[in-house]
Amino acid sequence: MEQGASFAAQAAYDNAGGYLGVQRSVWKVLNAEEDERDPVGARLLNRVYQIATVVMIVLVILIDFSGSTNPFFLDFVRFAFLCFTAEYALKLWSCVQADGAHTEPDTMKVRKEWAMQLMSLLDLINLVAYWG
């Protein structure tokens, strides 16, 4: 019985549209999940997002190490941390669509488990350190 229920949940998950479809798409882009069934545009967006994130991280590190007080550089760092904050919030919102998480009916439990992972905690520590 449970196997049939999990099959139904998987089918609903795979065919989710609307709100759940948006959550799933956000999760896939932010976590570099690729599927050959995804449209080429979604895969391209995924790659662009990953490259842009790495470039922003490297630039923030270089600006920080340079000790620059140039307003342009400081504004860029602020913009980058706004992007990182939005990324964290979107991941927290969409983590319920991660593979395996969609069968758990308690979305707050899924979010708590995601937030307690090492990389999520490191992201949160960095955000609190910057904004605090």
Side-chain angles (χ1 to χ4, degrees):
M1 180 81 171
E2 188 170 314
Q3 186 174 9
S6 64
F7 177 76
Q10 181 67 41
Y13 171 73
D14 289 341
N15 297 320
Y19 179 79
L20 294 178
V22 171
Q23 255 187 339
R24 178 69 183 145
S25 296
V26 167
W27 179 256
K28 288 173 78 170
V29 168
L30 295 179
N31 290 284
E33 288 185 13
E34 288 191 14
D35 189 341
E36 58 276 350
R37 297 176 295 176
D38 289 341
V40 174
R43 285 182 268 164
L44 179 63
L45 178 62
N46 186 312
R47 300 287 169 130
V48 168
Y49 166 76
Q50 297 300 324
I51 292 169
T53 300
V54 169
V55 168
M56 277 199 308
I57 290 169
V58 168
L59 289 175
V60 166
I61 290 170
L62 291 174
I63 291 169
D64 190 43
F65 282 156
S66 75
S68 175
T69 58
N70 183 323
F72 173 77
F73 292 142
L74 297 178
D75 287 343
F76 175 79
V77 170
R78 191 172 299 115
F79 170 76
F81 271 92
L82 280 171
C83 291
F84 299 149
T85 304
E87 175 192 25
Y88 184 86
L90 285 169
K91 282 184 176 182
L92 185 61
W93 171 69
S94 65
C95 69
V96 296
Q97 294 295 320
D99 288 337
H102 61 277
T103 58
E104 171 64 49
D106 186 1
T107 58
M108 291 309 291
K109 180 180 177 187
V110 173
R111 287 187 172 106
K112 182 180 174 187
E113 288 173 358
W114 176 83
M116 297 308 289
Q117 293 176 0
L118 178 62
M119 292 307 291
S120 301
L121 287 171
L122 291 175
D123 285 346
L124 183 61
I125 289 168
N126 281 318
L127 291 173
V128 169
Y130 178 77
W131 294 114

